Amino acid sequence: MNSVKTVRELRAAVARARGEGKRIAFVPTMGNLHEGHVALVEKAGQRADFVVASIFVNPLQFGPNEDLAKYPRTLAADQDKLVAAGCHLLFHPDVDEMYPHGQAGQTRVGVPGVSEGLCGASRPGHFEGVATVVTKLFNMVQPDLAVFGEKDFQQLAVIRTLVRDLNMPIQIVGEPTVRAEDGLALSSRNGYLSTEQRAQAPALYRTLNELAEAIRGGNRDFAALMANGTASLAAAGFRPDYLEIREASSLRLAQADDRQLVILGAAFMGNTRLIDNLAFEL
Ligand code: PAF
């Protein structure tokens, strides 16, 4: 695997692969890679001949009181995992390479609609930061396809909308969430949990499953279900941020006759904010 830090090197390496007639897949990440990221890279390798990954902890998508400074940077271990997963090229730029003219005056990309509510409400500016960096990375790499995890369900919806609305010729592929045996969705932030918190954390996914069971069983009182689910999270030691039942493709609030649903939850375990979701069809 070739590792590069500048846009110029990245473009040269991708151009060489293109010159050899290769189809290019891209997996953007913020590093601290786990099995979930490995699954994204492997999926990319199944769909293309040349896999590019990026590691960049994007300051634009962190709020002032979020974990930008303490976000784990584990480049050497990440490189080993990428090699084992079949990645061909790693792009790991510095902040100055990504934002050479500073962050304050940086052109921003906003995706109205799907980026509103849920994490968009709890983390103002987050999706604008994500959409901006992903647009820049897409323009730098110019891949044929890009793979994102379904764990960040709203982020995936934002990126699908961005690509559609800005006519980007990039296929967006979603990869199912990878979970620990007890159901907890793998996340770089799980590493912040104490042993006790880690033992309590699977209650988030359990609660999503309980709500989905109730809906499958015919319950359409979404408001009551959300209230009960929120109470279950609190009883399990979480400080709930949101728990919502939405229509899966538009992310608008679910109505009784919707058939494609997603339940999305975000909750704090101590200072660690965990998110998860469960999409299903009736
Ligand atoms: O999901 C992530 O890790 C980040 O939001 C992304 C897509 C790499 C953009 O910084």
Side-chain angles (χ1 to χ4, degrees), residues 28-30 56 58 61 130 133-134 148 152 155 159:
T29 81
M30 298 205 301
F56 178 63
N58 173 34
Q61 69 189 72
V130 170
V133 81
V134 169
F148 291 85
D152 296 300
Q155 169 172 282
I159 288 159

Side-chain angles (χ1 to χ4, degrees), residues 245-262:
I245 304 165
R246 300 246 170 165
E247 196 283 324
S249 58
S250 61
L251 285 189
R252 63 164 168 67
L253 283 174
Q255 290 162 9
D257 56 352
D258 285 332
R259 291 284 159 266
Q260 314 276 348
L261 296 176
V262 58

Side-chain angles (χ1 to χ4, degrees), residues 38 40 45 98 102 142 150-152 195 222 275:
V38 168
L40 304 183
M98 286 301 286
Q142 301 190 352
E150 289 173 357
K151 175 175 163 281
D152 296 300
T195 309
F222 294 144
I275 62 170

